[in-house]
Amino acid sequence: DLHSDAEERRQLEQDLRDALANDGLELYYQPVVHTVTERITGFEALLRWNHPLRGVVLPGEFIGCAEETGLIVPIGEWVLREACTQMQFWHCAYPGIQDMTISVNLSGKQFSHPALISKALRDSSLIPSSLKLEITESVIMEDPQAASKLLEQLHHQEVQSYVDDFGTGYSSLAHLRTLPVDRVKIDRSFVHGLVHSEADRAIVRCIIALANSLGLGT
């Protein structure tokens, strides 16, 4: 069983390297809608892997392998560049949507490569304020000082930042008041339960109230 698992892991890594080298990765763009105006305000870039045998593979099945092998850095660089380039193309093609933004997830491994963010913006000619970077609560809490330093750099560049999956990681309330972030993104496990669970509704109401008190969006 151990040998089989190791072989499967090795094959997954090799397939992922091939996908990165041969345009096997793709971004889907999920609209972000303002709940009051019902207007599309931007898009979130979602990574997908078009595997020749397995079909479309979701990030949950390969991101762990990418992080362990270090492939997350070149993959993250590709995602940033591709998303920024696409947003800039839309800005040029449709002058009326200049205020629309693109959201990209940032992994913990990318904290040590902040220059890649500036490079993606420079190569695509996208203005920094059009980019939103989402960093999970758990990643921030792994190294709050490094996270705070990166977020401060992003803030000075006018790149917006989100705390992703808020409410599921190690409590970061002590840091949330000082981190230079623009918004918190409530974890979908709470959002999915809004229709049927009063407890989830209460949690979401509290997170929104907390964010509002701190001057943050949700």
Side-chain angles (χ1 to χ4, degrees):
D1 287 343
L2 288 172
H3 175 77
S4 177
D5 289 346
E7 179 60 26
E8 184 178 343
R9 195 73 169 177
R10 185 201 65 78
Q11 188 62 55
L12 180 64
E13 178 185 348
Q14 185 56 53
D15 288 351
L16 193 52
R17 290 184 184 278
D18 292 343
L20 186 59
N22 299 303
D23 298 324
L25 300 177
E26 185 179 6
L27 292 185
Y28 288 12
Y29 296 95
Q30 176 173 273
V32 178
V33 180
H34 194 286
T35 54
V36 176
T37 64
E38 297 186 353
R39 177 177 176 269
I40 294 176
T41 60
F43 300 89
E44 179 180 357
L46 304 177
L47 179 62
R48 298 292 183 265
W49 174 12
N50 294 314
H51 194 282
L53 299 178
R54 299 167 61 182
V56 177
V57 183
L58 300 180
E61 300 180 51
F62 64 86
I63 287 298
C65 175
E67 290 182 335
E68 288 179 10
T69 59
L71 285 172
I72 193 66
V73 175
I75 289 175
E77 181 180 9
W78 178 85
V79 170
L80 264 174
R81 184 176 63 249
E82 188 76 8
C84 289
T85 300
Q86 181 63 67
M87 194 72 251
Q88 178 63 10
F89 170 79
W90 282 331
H91 278 177
C92 293
Y94 307 101
I97 64 165
Q98 297 300 311
D99 58 337
M100 285 197 181
T101 60
I102 188 73
S103 299
V104 179
N105 290 290
L106 198 66
S107 75
K109 295 288 186 182
Q110 290 174 283
F111 276 11
S112 57
H113 299 80
L116 296 180
I117 300 170
S118 300
K119 186 176 187 301
L121 289 169
R122 186 171 58 252
D123 291 349
S124 64
S125 299
L126 184 69
I127 60 173
S129 59
S130 294
L131 175 62
K132 295 178 178 178
L133 294 176
E134 301 183 1
I135 307 170
T136 63
E137 183 182 12
S138 56
V139 166
I140 290 175
M141 296 316 300
E142 285 178 6
D143 192 341
Q145 289 187 335
S148 182
K149 183 177 180 181
L150 175 62
L151 292 170
E152 192 68 46
Q153 291 177 8
L154 296 176
H155 180 72
H156 287 311
Q157 294 178 46
E158 298 185 349
V159 174
Q160 301 180 59
S161 55
Y162 286 16
V163 179
D164 199 4
D165 298 342
F166 188 81
T168 60
Y170 179 81
S171 176
S172 61
L173 294 180
H175 295 88
L176 188 60
R177 61 185 178 183
T178 58
L179 287 172
V181 295
D182 299 285
R183 301 187 180 188
V184 296
K185 188 176 179 184
I186 303 171
D187 188 75
R188 62 181 176 180
S189 61
F190 301 125
V191 177
H192 281 172
L194 284 177
V195 177
H196 307 292
S197 171
E198 176 57 37
D200 283 345
R201 288 196 289 272
I203 289 172
V204 169
R205 281 196 295 265
C206 288
I207 294 176
I208 292 174
L210 172 64
N212 288 341
S213 298
L214 295 172
L216 304 175
T218 50

